[in-house]
Amino acid sequence: MVENGRPRRRFEVVEVTGPSMVPTLLNGDRLVVRYGASVRPGDVVVLRHPLQQDLLVVKRAVERRPGGSWWVLGDNPYNETGDSTVFGPVPAELVLATAVLRFRPREEDQRSLRARLSWAVSALRPLWADASASRRLRAR
């Protein structure tokens, strides 16, 4: 879709699976992502896995490399799922969207008022580019 001569950005909700982005994202979290948004170091991004392009993954864009590719890493240093340490820099065209908002669904066993209030306070969180995470991950 084109709007005013520029591609219109669209939003979508995606579900996080796996532990590679813990503690930032947990298995089962939902993300509101924006397709077509520019990527900055520190952004949480959705990309096509470079070696298995039918698989979408969520990682942190750590730094832009020469030629426009991105070095991406998971936030969890103890998880050894695929990221740029395994498959190298990711071509920019495989980086599809940036995460805007994280929504954590309420668990069924949260029945008490205290549990529900705790969930309500932490359920929604905006995801801005985290330059400190980008620096920390580059140092790994």
Side-chain angles (χ1 to χ4, degrees), residues 35-53:
Y35 286 88
S38 60
V39 179
R40 296 175 301 185
D43 277 341
V44 174
V45 296
V46 175
L47 58 120
R48 289 195 186 283
H49 192 290
L51 305 176
Q52 189 179 348
Q53 293 191 11

Side-chain angles (χ1 to χ4, degrees), residues 2-115:
V2 177
E3 194 173 273
N4 296 331
R6 296 169 59 186
R8 190 174 123 200
R9 295 186 174 116
R10 66 183 178 107
F11 293 87
E12 188 174 304
V13 176
V14 298
E15 183 176 347
V16 175
T17 58
S20 74
M21 288 298 291
V22 170
T24 307
L25 303 171
L26 302 179
N27 189 55
D29 282 354
R30 306 302 193 280
L31 298 177
V32 175
V33 298
R34 185 177 189 182
Y35 286 88
S38 60
V39 179
R40 296 175 301 185
D43 277 341
V44 174
V45 296
V46 175
L47 58 120
R48 289 195 186 283
H49 192 290
L51 305 176
Q52 189 179 348
Q53 293 191 11
D54 60 334
L55 176 65
L56 298 180
V57 294
V58 176
K59 300 293 178 193
R60 187 170 304 274
V62 177
E63 70 179 352
R64 190 165 196 129
R65 294 293 178 99
S69 61
W70 282 96
W71 190 260
V72 298
L73 296 173
D75 284 0
N76 185 347
Y78 304 107
N79 186 52
E80 296 189 17
T81 60
D83 59 20
S84 287
T85 60
V86 173
F87 48 69
V90 177
E93 61 270 10
L94 297 182
V95 180
L96 305 176
T98 58
V100 177
L101 182 72
R102 184 219 67 208
F103 173 73
R104 188 157 288 155
R106 189 170 67 83
E107 295 177 15
E108 294 297 320
D109 63 346
Q110 292 177 322
R111 292 192 174 99
S112 72
L113 179 60
R114 182 178 181 187

